Each structure stands twice: as C-alpha cells, then as structure tokens.
Amino acid sequence: FQYLTGLPVEWRRGVDLMHSEDNVFVPRVGEPILTLSPGSGRHSEDSWIGDTRVIEKGESYPDVVKKVSMDLDWEQGRIGVGEHVRGSTWREVARSFKGASFRGAGNLMDDLRMIKEPGEIEALRKVAKVTDEVMGEVIPGIESGTTQNEIRIVIEMLARKAGASDISFPP
C-alpha cells in the first residue's frame, strides 16, 4: 500500500492499526482508485493517485467499493489481493466484483520494486549514510548487560533525529 500510493503509512508498527477502508484498486488497464478512511483522509493530497476517495463519516464502505467496481468497469476475471487486506474488505470486494476469482498479489510488485529510479537510488544512498552515522554512534556504547530493546530505542531515536521517518528493519 505504501509503495503503491506513496502515503506515509507506518505499517511496520502494526498492519492491524491501518484502517480497513485504506485500499488501492489497481486495474490492469487505466488509473488506480485510492480509498481512504476518515482517519487517513488528511493524506489524500500526498498521493500521486488522482482518483482518491475519502470515506465520509456515515458513508457506507460497501457502497464505495460497489461504486469503485462500476467505475473500473469490471466485468469478470481474477483479482489480486495484497497480503494485508482485511477480511471485511475481501468480503466487500467479493460482493461488488461478482464472479471474481482471487489470488495473492503480494509478489506482483517484486520485479518492479527491484528496478530503482534515480530518485530511489539517491534516497537509498541517504538512508545508508544515516544508518552508518547512527550505527557509528550506537556500537561504541554497547556494553555487557545492554538489552536489545535499549539498543533498539537508541537506534530509533538517533535515526529519527537524523531525519529518518521510520526504521525499515527493526533491530
């Protein structure tokens, strides 16, 4: 979700903390549609996706999914579903996309993610530099009796102080 939308979702801290209405529908041909919960709606302008639908309080998510299926002009076929899609979302997609067959889509982006754009390469260089700096500060301070949790907290604090938005691979 984060990779596809560009939204600042801290999914590593608990996928279950995301809202079930936060989904991206990507057709085989055409532009994607992003649905966001009222709680995530403040990020609607942060995504490159033009068709972003913020669920209004009191609005029915099943009705929104039904409208998405109509707007995508979906008739039949396979639907790939990401690894962290909630059961309630699966149910609504199955109801609105009649006759669909489902498959896991967790690996559909793997080949695309391997190829890096120049901006992604530069971001990786910055991350590597921050990581080197942080670890250069952390390693000398590790003593006998220091817990993993204490080290994790120091790493995260120093990384965020250096400008990191999150820790990709927690220690």
Side-chain angles (χ1 to χ4, degrees), residues 5-56:
T5 65
L7 295 179
V9 176
E10 290 195 25
W11 59 271
R12 287 180 185 90
R13 299 205 182 282
V15 175
D16 59 331
L17 298 177
M18 290 179 59
H19 301 278
S20 60
E21 297 92 353
D22 294 347
N23 295 289
V24 60
F25 296 81
V26 182
R28 186 177 296 250
V29 177
E31 296 298 315
I33 297 173
L34 175 63
T35 61
L36 294 175
S37 65
S40 298
R42 67 184 184 279
H43 298 297
S44 63
E45 300 296 319
D46 298 335
S47 178
W48 65 271
I49 297 174
D51 189 348
T52 298
R53 303 173 187 193
V54 179
I55 313 306
E56 301 296 328

mmCIF file of all heavy atoms in Angstrom, residues 5-56:
data_model
loop_
_atom_site.group_PDB
_atom_site.id
_atom_site.type_symbol
_atom_site.label_atom_id
_atom_site.label_comp_id
_atom_site.label_asym_id
_atom_site.label_seq_id
_atom_site.Cartn_x
_atom_site.Cartn_y
_atom_site.Cartn_z
ATOM 1 N N THR A 5 1.098 3.832 -3.183
ATOM 2 C CA THR A 5 0.444 5.128 -3.028
ATOM 3 C C THR A 5 1.400 6.270 -2.715
ATOM 4 O O THR A 5 1.096 7.421 -2.992
ATOM 5 C CB THR A 5 -0.605 5.089 -1.903
ATOM 6 O OG1 THR A 5 0.071 4.856 -0.657
ATOM 7 C CG2 THR A 5 -1.655 4.024 -2.153
ATOM 8 N N GLY A 6 2.523 5.955 -2.085
ATOM 9 C CA GLY A 6 3.446 6.994 -1.639
ATOM 10 C C GLY A 6 3.021 7.641 -0.327
ATOM 11 O O GLY A 6 3.630 8.601 0.119
ATOM 12 N N LEU A 7 1.985 7.091 0.307
ATOM 13 C CA LEU A 7 1.492 7.674 1.561
ATOM 14 C C LEU A 7 2.363 7.263 2.744
ATOM 15 O O LEU A 7 2.883 6.154 2.783
ATOM 16 C CB LEU A 7 0.047 7.261 1.809
ATOM 17 C CG LEU A 7 -0.959 7.796 0.800
ATOM 18 C CD1 LEU A 7 -2.355 7.306 1.129
ATOM 19 C CD2 LEU A 7 -0.946 9.311 0.767
ATOM 20 N N PRO A 8 2.493 8.135 3.727
ATOM 21 C CA PRO A 8 3.342 7.865 4.901
ATOM 22 C C PRO A 8 2.651 6.964 5.922
ATOM 23 O O PRO A 8 2.276 7.394 6.993
ATOM 24 C CB PRO A 8 3.583 9.265 5.462
ATOM 25 C CG PRO A 8 2.326 10.008 5.122
ATOM 26 C CD PRO A 8 1.907 9.479 3.775
ATOM 27 N N VAL A 9 2.478 5.715 5.568
ATOM 28 C CA VAL A 9 1.808 4.768 6.455
ATOM 29 C C VAL A 9 2.867 4.001 7.224
ATOM 30 O O VAL A 9 3.777 3.430 6.630
ATOM 31 C CB VAL A 9 0.947 3.776 5.639
ATOM 32 C CG1 VAL A 9 0.322 2.742 6.532
ATOM 33 C CG2 VAL A 9 -0.108 4.530 4.856
ATOM 34 N N GLU A 10 2.775 3.993 8.531
ATOM 35 C CA GLU A 10 3.754 3.265 9.339
ATOM 36 C C GLU A 10 3.261 1.843 9.564
ATOM 37 O O GLU A 10 2.979 1.418 10.675
ATOM 38 C CB GLU A 10 3.981 3.988 10.668
ATOM 39 C CG GLU A 10 4.725 5.294 10.488
ATOM 40 C CD GLU A 10 5.264 5.838 11.788
ATOM 41 O OE1 GLU A 10 5.504 5.051 12.721
ATOM 42 O OE2 GLU A 10 5.450 7.051 11.863
ATOM 43 N N TRP A 11 3.164 1.089 8.484
ATOM 44 C CA TRP A 11 2.619 -0.262 8.550
ATOM 45 C C TRP A 11 3.518 -1.225 9.321
ATOM 46 O O TRP A 11 3.045 -2.221 9.841
ATOM 47 C CB TRP A 11 2.364 -0.790 7.143
ATOM 48 C CG TRP A 11 3.589 -0.841 6.284
ATOM 49 C CD1 TRP A 11 4.067 0.153 5.490
ATOM 50 C CD2 TRP A 11 4.488 -1.922 6.152
ATOM 51 N NE1 TRP A 11 5.211 -0.232 4.869
ATOM 52 C CE2 TRP A 11 5.499 -1.508 5.253
ATOM 53 C CE3 TRP A 11 4.574 -3.193 6.699
ATOM 54 C CZ2 TRP A 11 6.551 -2.339 4.896
ATOM 55 C CZ3 TRP A 11 5.625 -4.004 6.328
ATOM 56 C CH2 TRP A 11 6.602 -3.578 5.441
ATOM 57 N N ARG A 12 4.792 -0.922 9.431
ATOM 58 C CA ARG A 12 5.678 -1.840 10.151
ATOM 59 C C ARG A 12 5.372 -1.877 11.646
ATOM 60 O O ARG A 12 5.755 -2.780 12.343
ATOM 61 C CB ARG A 12 7.129 -1.417 9.938
ATOM 62 C CG ARG A 12 7.624 -1.726 8.553
ATOM 63 C CD ARG A 12 9.067 -1.294 8.391
ATOM 64 N NE ARG A 12 9.493 -1.489 7.037
ATOM 65 C CZ ARG A 12 9.388 -0.578 6.090
ATOM 66 N NH1 ARG A 12 8.888 0.598 6.358
ATOM 67 N NH2 ARG A 12 9.799 -0.825 4.885
ATOM 68 N N ARG A 13 4.695 -0.869 12.142
ATOM 69 C CA ARG A 13 4.372 -0.813 13.565
ATOM 70 C C ARG A 13 3.112 -1.607 13.882
ATOM 71 O O ARG A 13 2.721 -1.722 15.018
ATOM 72 C CB ARG A 13 4.181 0.633 14.004
ATOM 73 C CG ARG A 13 5.432 1.432 13.808
ATOM 74 C CD ARG A 13 5.447 2.601 14.746
ATOM 75 N NE ARG A 13 6.624 3.380 14.517
ATOM 76 C CZ ARG A 13 7.837 3.056 14.959
ATOM 77 N NH1 ARG A 13 8.014 1.990 15.660
ATOM 78 N NH2 ARG A 13 8.858 3.825 14.700
ATOM 79 N N GLY A 14 2.465 -2.099 12.888
ATOM 80 C CA GLY A 14 1.280 -2.911 13.114
ATOM 81 C C GLY A 14 0.277 -2.715 12.000
ATOM 82 O O GLY A 14 -0.419 -1.714 11.961
ATOM 83 N N VAL A 15 0.266 -3.662 11.078
ATOM 84 C CA VAL A 15 -0.655 -3.593 9.957
ATOM 85 C C VAL A 15 -2.082 -3.485 10.462
ATOM 86 O O VAL A 15 -2.927 -2.841 9.858
ATOM 87 C CB VAL A 15 -0.480 -4.837 9.062
ATOM 88 C CG1 VAL A 15 -1.510 -4.871 7.958
ATOM 89 C CG2 VAL A 15 0.917 -4.857 8.470
ATOM 90 N N ASP A 16 -2.333 -4.108 11.607
ATOM 91 C CA ASP A 16 -3.685 -4.083 12.148
ATOM 92 C C ASP A 16 -4.099 -2.689 12.627
ATOM 93 O O ASP A 16 -5.262 -2.461 12.931
ATOM 94 C CB ASP A 16 -3.825 -5.095 13.279
ATOM 95 C CG ASP A 16 -2.850 -4.847 14.417
ATOM 96 O OD1 ASP A 16 -1.756 -4.305 14.173
ATOM 97 O OD2 ASP A 16 -3.182 -5.201 15.546
ATOM 98 N N LEU A 17 -3.165 -1.741 12.653
ATOM 99 C CA LEU A 17 -3.512 -0.383 13.050
ATOM 100 C C LEU A 17 -4.030 0.440 11.866
ATOM 101 O O LEU A 17 -4.582 1.517 12.053
ATOM 102 C CB LEU A 17 -2.287 0.317 13.656
ATOM 103 C CG LEU A 17 -1.745 -0.323 14.926
ATOM 104 C CD1 LEU A 17 -0.498 0.424 15.385
ATOM 105 C CD2 LEU A 17 -2.778 -0.341 16.023
ATOM 106 N N MET A 18 -3.845 -0.069 10.660
ATOM 107 C CA MET A 18 -4.354 0.633 9.488
ATOM 108 C C MET A 18 -5.871 0.510 9.445
ATOM 109 O O MET A 18 -6.455 -0.398 10.029
ATOM 110 C CB MET A 18 -3.754 0.042 8.211
ATOM 111 C CG MET A 18 -2.290 0.347 8.040
ATOM 112 S SD MET A 18 -1.591 -0.378 6.553
ATOM 113 C CE MET A 18 -2.584 0.365 5.272
ATOM 114 N N HIS A 19 -6.500 1.405 8.742
ATOM 115 C CA HIS A 19 -7.955 1.379 8.607
ATOM 116 C C HIS A 19 -8.347 0.431 7.483
ATOM 117 O O HIS A 19 -7.707 0.415 6.429
ATOM 118 C CB HIS A 19 -8.482 2.784 8.316
ATOM 119 C CG HIS A 19 -8.124 3.771 9.376
ATOM 120 N ND1 HIS A 19 -8.844 3.887 10.547
ATOM 121 C CD2 HIS A 19 -7.131 4.681 9.459
ATOM 122 C CE1 HIS A 19 -8.304 4.824 11.296
ATOM 123 N NE2 HIS A 19 -7.261 5.319 10.662
ATOM 124 N N SER A 20 -9.422 -0.318 7.669
ATOM 125 C CA SER A 20 -9.841 -1.282 6.646
ATOM 126 C C SER A 20 -10.269 -0.602 5.352
ATOM 127 O O SER A 20 -10.280 -1.224 4.298
ATOM 128 C CB SER A 20 -10.960 -2.164 7.186
ATOM 129 O OG SER A 20 -12.077 -1.390 7.554
ATOM 130 N N GLU A 21 -10.606 0.669 5.406
ATOM 131 C CA GLU A 21 -11.030 1.391 4.203
ATOM 132 C C GLU A 21 -9.857 1.927 3.387
ATOM 133 O O GLU A 21 -10.048 2.456 2.299
ATOM 134 C CB GLU A 21 -11.949 2.575 4.568
ATOM 135 C CG GLU A 21 -13.236 2.175 5.225
ATOM 136 C CD GLU A 21 -13.133 2.145 6.748
ATOM 137 O OE1 GLU A 21 -12.009 2.310 7.292
ATOM 138 O OE2 GLU A 21 -14.161 1.926 7.402
ATOM 139 N N ASP A 22 -8.639 1.827 3.914
ATOM 140 C CA ASP A 22 -7.459 2.315 3.203
ATOM 141 C C ASP A 22 -7.000 1.244 2.217
ATOM 142 O O ASP A 22 -6.333 0.277 2.581
ATOM 143 C CB ASP A 22 -6.322 2.634 4.182
ATOM 144 C CG ASP A 22 -6.649 3.794 5.096
ATOM 145 O OD1 ASP A 22 -7.633 4.506 4.832
ATOM 146 O OD2 ASP A 22 -5.918 3.983 6.085
ATOM 147 N N ASN A 23 -7.391 1.423 0.952
ATOM 148 C CA ASN A 23 -7.090 0.430 -0.084
ATOM 149 C C ASN A 23 -6.829 1.122 -1.405
ATOM 150 O O ASN A 23 -7.297 2.231 -1.650
ATOM 151 C CB ASN A 23 -8.264 -0.545 -0.253
ATOM 152 C CG ASN A 23 -8.481 -1.372 0.985
ATOM 153 O OD1 ASN A 23 -7.691 -2.236 1.300
ATOM 154 N ND2 ASN A 23 -9.552 -1.089 1.711
ATOM 155 N N VAL A 24 -6.088 0.427 -2.252
ATOM 156 C CA VAL A 24 -5.860 0.930 -3.601
ATOM 157 C C VAL A 24 -6.305 -0.160 -4.572
ATOM 158 O O VAL A 24 -5.967 -1.326 -4.415
ATOM 159 C CB VAL A 24 -4.387 1.363 -3.817
ATOM 160 C CG1 VAL A 24 -3.419 0.234 -3.617
ATOM 161 C CG2 VAL A 24 -4.199 1.997 -5.178
ATOM 162 N N PHE A 25 -7.131 0.245 -5.517
ATOM 163 C CA PHE A 25 -7.655 -0.648 -6.538
ATOM 164 C C PHE A 25 -6.915 -0.330 -7.826
ATOM 165 O O PHE A 25 -7.021 0.784 -8.349
ATOM 166 C CB PHE A 25 -9.158 -0.422 -6.723
ATOM 167 C CG PHE A 25 -9.967 -0.766 -5.500
ATOM 168 C CD1 PHE A 25 -10.088 0.120 -4.442
ATOM 169 C CD2 PHE A 25 -10.608 -1.998 -5.410
ATOM 170 C CE1 PHE A 25 -10.829 -0.199 -3.314
ATOM 171 C CE2 PHE A 25 -11.354 -2.333 -4.285
ATOM 172 C CZ PHE A 25 -11.464 -1.423 -3.234
ATOM 173 N N VAL A 26 -6.155 -1.290 -8.330
ATOM 174 C CA VAL A 26 -5.312 -1.067 -9.499
ATOM 175 C C VAL A 26 -5.827 -1.937 -10.643
ATOM 176 O O VAL A 26 -5.671 -3.162 -10.605
ATOM 177 C CB VAL A 26 -3.833 -1.406 -9.204
ATOM 178 C CG1 VAL A 26 -2.964 -1.111 -10.413
ATOM 179 C CG2 VAL A 26 -3.342 -0.655 -7.976
ATOM 180 N N PRO A 27 -6.429 -1.316 -11.644
ATOM 181 C CA PRO A 27 -6.916 -2.107 -12.774
ATOM 182 C C PRO A 27 -5.769 -2.521 -13.687
ATOM 183 O O PRO A 27 -4.695 -1.910 -13.676
ATOM 184 C CB PRO A 27 -7.861 -1.139 -13.492
ATOM 185 C CG PRO A 27 -7.311 0.209 -13.185
ATOM 186 C CD PRO A 27 -6.731 0.106 -11.795
ATOM 187 N N ARG A 28 -6.003 -3.541 -14.477
ATOM 188 C CA ARG A 28 -4.989 -3.989 -15.440
ATOM 189 C C ARG A 28 -4.680 -2.863 -16.435
ATOM 190 O O ARG A 28 -3.544 -2.663 -16.820
ATOM 191 C CB ARG A 28 -5.489 -5.221 -16.174
ATOM 192 C CG ARG A 28 -4.477 -5.862 -17.081
ATOM 193 C CD ARG A 28 -5.053 -7.110 -17.706
ATOM 194 N NE ARG A 28 -5.334 -8.102 -16.695
ATOM 195 C CZ ARG A 28 -4.654 -9.234 -16.553
ATOM 196 N NH1 ARG A 28 -3.677 -9.507 -17.376
ATOM 197 N NH2 ARG A 28 -4.965 -10.083 -15.611
ATOM 198 N N VAL A 29 -5.721 -2.131 -16.815
ATOM 199 C CA VAL A 29 -5.583 -1.001 -17.734
ATOM 200 C C VAL A 29 -6.299 0.186 -17.108
ATOM 201 O O VAL A 29 -7.408 0.048 -16.604
ATOM 202 C CB VAL A 29 -6.217 -1.325 -19.113
ATOM 203 C CG1 VAL A 29 -6.142 -0.121 -20.032
ATOM 204 C CG2 VAL A 29 -5.544 -2.528 -19.743
ATOM 205 N N GLY A 30 -5.681 1.339 -17.129
ATOM 206 C CA GLY A 30 -6.309 2.533 -16.586
ATOM 207 C C GLY A 30 -5.675 2.965 -15.276
ATOM 208 O O GLY A 30 -4.683 2.393 -14.817
ATOM 209 N N GLU A 31 -6.258 3.986 -14.699
ATOM 210 C CA GLU A 31 -5.713 4.590 -13.489
ATOM 211 C C GLU A 31 -6.266 3.924 -12.229
ATOM 212 O O GLU A 31 -7.425 3.506 -12.193
ATOM 213 C CB GLU A 31 -6.053 6.081 -13.467
ATOM 214 C CG GLU A 31 -5.403 6.872 -14.597
ATOM 215 C CD GLU A 31 -3.884 6.835 -14.535
ATOM 216 O OE1 GLU A 31 -3.319 7.015 -13.444
ATOM 217 O OE2 GLU A 31 -3.257 6.615 -15.592
ATOM 218 N N PRO A 32 -5.455 3.864 -11.172
ATOM 219 C CA PRO A 32 -5.915 3.284 -9.911
ATOM 220 C C PRO A 32 -6.890 4.198 -9.176
ATOM 221 O O PRO A 32 -6.971 5.392 -9.460
ATOM 222 C CB PRO A 32 -4.628 3.100 -9.101
ATOM 223 C CG PRO A 32 -3.686 4.093 -9.664
ATOM 224 C CD PRO A 32 -4.060 4.284 -11.099
ATOM 225 N N ILE A 33 -7.602 3.601 -8.245
ATOM 226 C CA ILE A 33 -8.502 4.345 -7.371
ATOM 227 C C ILE A 33 -8.070 4.059 -5.942
ATOM 228 O O ILE A 33 -7.906 2.910 -5.547
ATOM 229 C CB ILE A 33 -9.971 3.929 -7.581
ATOM 230 C CG1 ILE A 33 -10.415 4.266 -9.008
ATOM 231 C CG2 ILE A 33 -10.870 4.620 -6.553
ATOM 232 C CD1 ILE A 33 -11.804 3.748 -9.367
ATOM 233 N N LEU A 34 -7.880 5.119 -5.171
ATOM 234 C CA LEU A 34 -7.466 5.017 -3.778
ATOM 235 C C LEU A 34 -8.656 5.342 -2.884
ATOM 236 O O LEU A 34 -9.328 6.344 -3.099
ATOM 237 C CB LEU A 34 -6.329 6.011 -3.519
ATOM 238 C CG LEU A 34 -5.806 6.166 -2.095
ATOM 239 C CD1 LEU A 34 -5.201 4.867 -1.584
ATOM 240 C CD2 LEU A 34 -4.783 7.297 -2.042
ATOM 241 N N THR A 35 -8.933 4.471 -1.925
ATOM 242 C CA THR A 35 -9.960 4.780 -0.931
ATOM 243 C C THR A 35 -9.270 4.967 0.418
ATOM 244 O O THR A 35 -8.374 4.209 0.779
ATOM 245 C CB THR A 35 -11.031 3.668 -0.824
ATOM 246 O OG1 THR A 35 -10.430 2.438 -0.414
ATOM 247 C CG2 THR A 35 -11.752 3.473 -2.148
ATOM 248 N N LEU A 36 -9.682 6.012 1.130
ATOM 249 C CA LEU A 36 -9.090 6.316 2.430
ATOM 250 C C LEU A 36 -10.190 6.489 3.467
ATOM 251 O O LEU A 36 -11.233 7.081 3.190
ATOM 252 C CB LEU A 36 -8.265 7.605 2.359
ATOM 253 C CG LEU A 36 -7.013 7.571 1.490
ATOM 254 C CD1 LEU A 36 -6.377 8.956 1.425
ATOM 255 C CD2 LEU A 36 -6.019 6.550 2.010
ATOM 256 N N SER A 37 -9.911 6.018 4.653
ATOM 257 C CA SER A 37 -10.823 6.177 5.784
ATOM 258 C C SER A 37 -10.843 7.646 6.213
ATOM 259 O O SER A 37 -9.938 8.413 5.859
ATOM 260 C CB SER A 37 -10.340 5.321 6.948
ATOM 261 O OG SER A 37 -9.089 5.814 7.397
ATOM 262 N N PRO A 38 -11.840 8.042 6.999
ATOM 263 C CA PRO A 38 -11.836 9.415 7.521
ATOM 264 C C PRO A 38 -10.540 9.729 8.281
ATOM 265 O O PRO A 38 -10.003 10.828 8.179
ATOM 266 C CB PRO A 38 -13.048 9.453 8.449
ATOM 267 C CG PRO A 38 -13.968 8.416 7.911
ATOM 268 C CD PRO A 38 -13.060 7.320 7.386
ATOM 269 N N GLY A 39 -10.009 8.739 9.001
ATOM 270 C CA GLY A 39 -8.779 8.956 9.768
ATOM 271 C C GLY A 39 -7.544 9.150 8.912
ATOM 272 O O GLY A 39 -6.577 9.774 9.332
ATOM 273 N N SER A 40 -7.554 8.613 7.698
ATOM 274 C CA SER A 40 -6.413 8.750 6.795
ATOM 275 C C SER A 40 -6.638 9.828 5.745
ATOM 276 O O SER A 40 -5.736 10.135 4.970
ATOM 277 C CB SER A 40 -6.145 7.413 6.088
ATOM 278 O OG SER A 40 -5.807 6.420 7.013
ATOM 279 N N GLY A 41 -7.830 10.383 5.713
ATOM 280 C CA GLY A 41 -8.190 11.356 4.693
ATOM 281 C C GLY A 41 -7.273 12.553 4.613
ATOM 282 O O GLY A 41 -7.111 13.152 3.546
ATOM 283 N N ARG A 42 -6.626 12.901 5.725
ATOM 284 C CA ARG A 42 -5.732 14.063 5.717
ATOM 285 C C ARG A 42 -4.548 13.853 4.771
ATOM 286 O O ARG A 42 -3.883 14.810 4.389
ATOM 287 C CB ARG A 42 -5.243 14.354 7.135
ATOM 288 C CG ARG A 42 -4.333 13.283 7.714
ATOM 289 C CD ARG A 42 -3.961 13.585 9.171
ATOM 290 N NE ARG A 42 -3.041 12.640 9.712
ATOM 291 C CZ ARG A 42 -3.355 11.446 10.200
ATOM 292 N NH1 ARG A 42 -4.614 11.045 10.216
ATOM 293 N NH2 ARG A 42 -2.429 10.644 10.678
ATOM 294 N N HIS A 43 -4.300 12.607 4.370
ATOM 295 C CA HIS A 43 -3.194 12.303 3.462
ATOM 296 C C HIS A 43 -3.622 12.279 1.995
ATOM 297 O O HIS A 43 -2.810 11.963 1.126
ATOM 298 C CB HIS A 43 -2.576 10.943 3.807
ATOM 299 C CG HIS A 43 -1.985 10.873 5.169
ATOM 300 N ND1 HIS A 43 -0.921 11.651 5.566
ATOM 301 C CD2 HIS A 43 -2.319 10.119 6.240
ATOM 302 C CE1 HIS A 43 -0.619 11.373 6.825
ATOM 303 N NE2 HIS A 43 -1.454 10.467 7.251
ATOM 304 N N SER A 44 -4.867 12.614 1.727
ATOM 305 C CA SER A 44 -5.393 12.455 0.365
ATOM 306 C C SER A 44 -4.595 13.230 -0.683
ATOM 307 O O SER A 44 -4.491 12.801 -1.823
ATOM 308 C CB SER A 44 -6.868 12.848 0.303
ATOM 309 O OG SER A 44 -7.029 14.213 0.612
ATOM 310 N N GLU A 45 -4.012 14.340 -0.303
ATOM 311 C CA GLU A 45 -3.243 15.148 -1.258
ATOM 312 C C GLU A 45 -1.800 14.668 -1.391
ATOM 313 O O GLU A 45 -1.075 15.142 -2.271
ATOM 314 C CB GLU A 45 -3.253 16.622 -0.828
ATOM 315 C CG GLU A 45 -4.639 17.237 -0.755
ATOM 316 C CD GLU A 45 -5.330 17.304 -2.110
ATOM 317 O OE1 GLU A 45 -4.650 17.630 -3.107
ATOM 318 O OE2 GLU A 45 -6.539 17.012 -2.163
ATOM 319 N N ASP A 46 -1.385 13.723 -0.539
ATOM 320 C CA ASP A 46 0.003 13.280 -0.522
ATOM 321 C C ASP A 46 0.305 12.183 -1.530
ATOM 322 O O ASP A 46 1.460 11.825 -1.725
ATOM 323 C CB ASP A 46 0.394 12.782 0.875
ATOM 324 C CG ASP A 46 0.301 13.876 1.924
ATOM 325 O OD1 ASP A 46 0.412 15.061 1.546
ATOM 326 O OD2 ASP A 46 0.103 13.545 3.104
ATOM 327 N N SER A 47 -0.706 11.614 -2.147
ATOM 328 C CA SER A 47 -0.512 10.515 -3.082
ATOM 329 C C SER A 47 -0.504 11.029 -4.515
ATOM 330 O O SER A 47 -1.130 12.028 -4.836
ATOM 331 C CB SER A 47 -1.620 9.478 -2.914
ATOM 332 O OG SER A 47 -1.452 8.428 -3.857
ATOM 333 N N TRP A 48 0.169 10.312 -5.372
ATOM 334 C CA TRP A 48 0.187 10.634 -6.796
ATOM 335 C C TRP A 48 -1.105 10.200 -7.474
ATOM 336 O O TRP A 48 -1.379 10.580 -8.609
ATOM 337 C CB TRP A 48 1.386 9.966 -7.468
ATOM 338 C CG TRP A 48 1.291 8.459 -7.434
ATOM 339 C CD1 TRP A 48 1.761 7.633 -6.446
ATOM 340 C CD2 TRP A 48 0.668 7.612 -8.392
ATOM 341 N NE1 TRP A 48 1.470 6.323 -6.736
ATOM 342 C CE2 TRP A 48 0.786 6.279 -7.926
ATOM 343 C CE3 TRP A 48 0.003 7.843 -9.593
ATOM 344 C CZ2 TRP A 48 0.285 5.186 -8.626
ATOM 345 C CZ3 TRP A 48 -0.504 6.747 -10.288
ATOM 346 C CH2 TRP A 48 -0.353 5.440 -9.808
ATOM 347 N N ILE A 49 -1.900 9.382 -6.783
ATOM 348 C CA ILE A 49 -3.119 8.840 -7.380
ATOM 349 C C ILE A 49 -4.180 9.937 -7.457
ATOM 350 O O ILE A 49 -4.572 10.514 -6.445
ATOM 351 C CB ILE A 49 -3.627 7.621 -6.582
ATOM 352 C CG1 ILE A 49 -2.576 6.504 -6.636
ATOM 353 C CG2 ILE A 49 -4.976 7.141 -7.125
ATOM 354 C CD1 ILE A 49 -2.890 5.298 -5.782
ATOM 355 N N GLY A 50 -4.640 10.196 -8.658
ATOM 356 C CA GLY A 50 -5.592 11.283 -8.887
ATOM 357 C C GLY A 50 -6.981 11.004 -8.350
ATOM 358 O O GLY A 50 -7.647 11.891 -7.827
ATOM 359 N N ASP A 51 -7.433 9.770 -8.492
ATOM 360 C CA ASP A 51 -8.785 9.419 -8.045
ATOM 361 C C ASP A 51 -8.697 8.877 -6.617
ATOM 362 O O ASP A 51 -8.551 7.683 -6.396
ATOM 363 C CB ASP A 51 -9.414 8.395 -8.980
ATOM 364 C CG ASP A 51 -10.897 8.161 -8.701
ATOM 365 O OD1 ASP A 51 -11.394 8.621 -7.648
ATOM 366 O OD2 ASP A 51 -11.547 7.501 -9.529
ATOM 367 N N THR A 52 -8.758 9.780 -5.652
ATOM 368 C CA THR A 52 -8.699 9.417 -4.238
ATOM 369 C C THR A 52 -10.050 9.720 -3.611
ATOM 370 O O THR A 52 -10.539 10.843 -3.714
ATOM 371 C CB THR A 52 -7.588 10.196 -3.518
ATOM 372 O OG1 THR A 52 -6.334 9.852 -4.118
ATOM 373 C CG2 THR A 52 -7.540 9.853 -2.042
ATOM 374 N N ARG A 53 -10.622 8.727 -2.983
ATOM 375 C CA ARG A 53 -11.956 8.865 -2.404
ATOM 376 C C ARG A 53 -11.866 8.703 -0.886
ATOM 377 O O ARG A 53 -11.596 7.612 -0.395
ATOM 378 C CB ARG A 53 -12.888 7.823 -2.999
ATOM 379 C CG ARG A 53 -12.947 7.947 -4.514
ATOM 380 C CD ARG A 53 -13.706 6.853 -5.169
ATOM 381 N NE ARG A 53 -13.569 6.966 -6.621
ATOM 382 C CZ ARG A 53 -14.315 6.310 -7.483
ATOM 383 N NH1 ARG A 53 -15.273 5.505 -7.054
ATOM 384 N NH2 ARG A 53 -14.120 6.456 -8.780
ATOM 385 N N VAL A 54 -12.078 9.792 -0.186
ATOM 386 C CA VAL A 54 -12.068 9.765 1.273
ATOM 387 C C VAL A 54 -13.480 9.414 1.728
ATOM 388 O O VAL A 54 -14.447 10.078 1.354
ATOM 389 C CB VAL A 54 -11.625 11.115 1.867
ATOM 390 C CG1 VAL A 54 -11.656 11.072 3.385
ATOM 391 C CG2 VAL A 54 -10.227 11.477 1.364
ATOM 392 N N ILE A 55 -13.579 8.376 2.530
ATOM 393 C CA ILE A 55 -14.870 7.929 3.025
ATOM 394 C C ILE A 55 -15.367 8.948 4.052
ATOM 395 O O ILE A 55 -14.695 9.212 5.043
ATOM 396 C CB ILE A 55 -14.776 6.534 3.686
ATOM 397 C CG1 ILE A 55 -13.982 5.550 2.807
ATOM 398 C CG2 ILE A 55 -16.154 6.014 4.043
ATOM 399 C CD1 ILE A 55 -14.455 5.412 1.406
ATOM 400 N N GLU A 56 -16.509 9.503 3.792
ATOM 401 C CA GLU A 56 -17.087 10.480 4.710
ATOM 402 C C GLU A 56 -17.724 9.760 5.889
ATOM 403 O O GLU A 56 -18.199 8.627 5.755
ATOM 404 C CB GLU A 56 -18.150 11.309 3.975
ATOM 405 C CG GLU A 56 -17.619 12.051 2.759
ATOM 406 C CD GLU A 56 -16.582 13.103 3.092
ATOM 407 O OE1 GLU A 56 -16.671 13.704 4.187
ATOM 408 O OE2 GLU A 56 -15.671 13.318 2.280
#
